[in-house]
Amino acid sequence: MQAVLSWFVAVTTALTLMRHSSSAENKPEAANTPEASVYTAVKVVSGGAVAGTITYSGKAMAPKKLAVTKDTQVCGKVEHVDESLLVGANGGIKNAVVSIKGIKSGKGLETLGTSFVLDQKGCMYTPHVSVVPVNATLKIVNPDGILHNIHTYSQKNPPFNKSQPQFKKEMTTSFAQAELVAAKCDVHGWMSASILVVDQPYYAVTDATGAFKLTDVPAGTYTVEIWQEKLGTKTAQVTVAAGQTATLNFAFPAAAAN
């Protein structure tokens, strides 16, 4: 009997390991994830700011054109390009995300806004990179009059995988855990977006010139994290004085794009 039990345990363990291995192979590649934190909203007195520009030290590159292979009568009205790295003439990087890492208290999460929308007009996601608070309602709109199917990929939140036919102009979802969520359209393979789900408000997405600003920051010394979809994650130290703006300019090395 002991031999039989030992054989059964061994087989069960092997099958469990095989299932875990198969599941891991089917998961999307791990992405940079906002650090889970215990954050307390307080009234910020004499808050300062962190502002600057995120740039690329290499030569500005024209974004790669994407082929529109389906529903061309709608999707082909505008040119589609790879938005994973958009560098302006001045070297500024659009859609980098700058955040204060590990901050424990400060302004409320509601300061990020109250309306969060992912638009699919023209068979592209706008915005390409967005910051959405945990448990906030994200509205997904389809003004195209054709079928879309949004499919999210993440580690902590359940996937959202729903068809949005032409008559269904709006859908909503939310995310309970802070992390980076990737979104794709199962109908139009070139469509992609990054949604940073966050549990503290000190996040900013750079504009077309690479500029950003984090406001109402309590005085102190912080680690600032800079994330870019293609270039990865870098950190820098910054000290914020009460009522003052600390300047943080950061350049990603050209090699990071390879």
Side-chain angles (χ1 to χ4, degrees):
M1 177 63 71
Q2 184 63 38
V4 172
L5 287 174
S6 298
W7 173 85
F8 178 78
V9 170
V11 171
T12 302
T13 302
L15 289 173
T16 300
L17 289 172
M18 288 173 65
R19 284 197 298 270
H20 284 322
S21 176
S22 175
S23 175
E25 288 176 359
N26 292 327
K27 286 183 179 179
E29 190 172 322
N32 180 69
T33 298
E35 181 181 351
S37 62
V38 178
Y39 181 81
T40 304
V42 298
K43 183 179 180 180
V44 178
V45 179
S46 299
V50 181
T53 305
I54 307 303
T55 58
Y56 181 65
S57 61
K59 181 181 178 181
M61 301 166 291
K64 178 184 176 183
K65 293 182 180 181
L66 299 177
V68 175
T69 56
K70 191 169 185 177
D71 295 317
T72 55
Q73 74 283 5
V74 174
C75 304
K77 290 180 180 179
V78 296
E79 184 178 74
H80 292 258
V81 299
D82 181 356
E83 298 182 81
S84 63
L85 178 57
L86 297 177
V87 180
N90 68 333
I93 299 174
K94 182 180 180 180
N95 289 332
V97 178
V98 183
S99 62
I100 297 178
K101 186 178 175 66
I103 189 169
K104 299 302 182 185
S105 63
K107 63 184 179 180
L109 199 57
E110 72 280 356
T111 58
L112 285 174
T114 56
S115 178
F116 304 93
V117 178
L118 187 62
D119 196 344
Q120 298 171 100
K121 184 177 181 180
C123 307
M124 65 175 66
Y125 287 126
T126 304
H128 180 68
V129 175
S130 59
V131 173
V132 177
V134 292
N135 299 317
T137 298
L138 175 64
K139 183 188 297 184
I140 304 159
V141 299
N142 177 11
D144 284 339
I146 58 175
L147 174 69
H148 286 299
N149 189 107
I150 185 168
H151 191 170
T152 65
Y153 298 86
S154 56
Q155 301 295 319
K156 298 179 181 179
N157 293 283
F160 182 84
N161 185 8
K162 289 188 177 181
S163 294
Q164 191 169 13
Q166 60 186 52
F167 58 83
K168 195 166 189 177
K169 302 298 183 184
E170 295 183 3
M171 297 192 302
T172 60
T173 190
S174 62
F175 305 96
Q177 300 292 325
E179 66 170 334
L180 177 60
V181 176
K184 298 281 290 183
C185 178
D186 287 344
V187 180
H188 308 100
W190 62 86
M191 293 176 63
S192 68
S194 295
I195 305 164
L196 277 95
V197 183
V198 302
D199 55 10
Q200 56 97 344
Y202 294 101
Y203 283 80
V205 181
T206 57
D207 64 18
T209 68
F212 74 93
K213 189 172 186 179
L214 299 166
T215 60
D216 294 323
V217 180
T221 298
Y222 301 99
T223 298
V224 173
E225 187 171 85
I226 305 105
W227 172 84
Q228 203 285 327
E229 181 178 350
K230 190 171 183 179
L231 303 178
T233 303
K234 301 291 183 181
T235 59
Q237 295 294 120
V238 66
T239 297
V240 180
Q244 303 296 312
T245 296
T247 300
L248 175 62
N249 296 319
F250 183 86
F252 278 94
N258 297 329

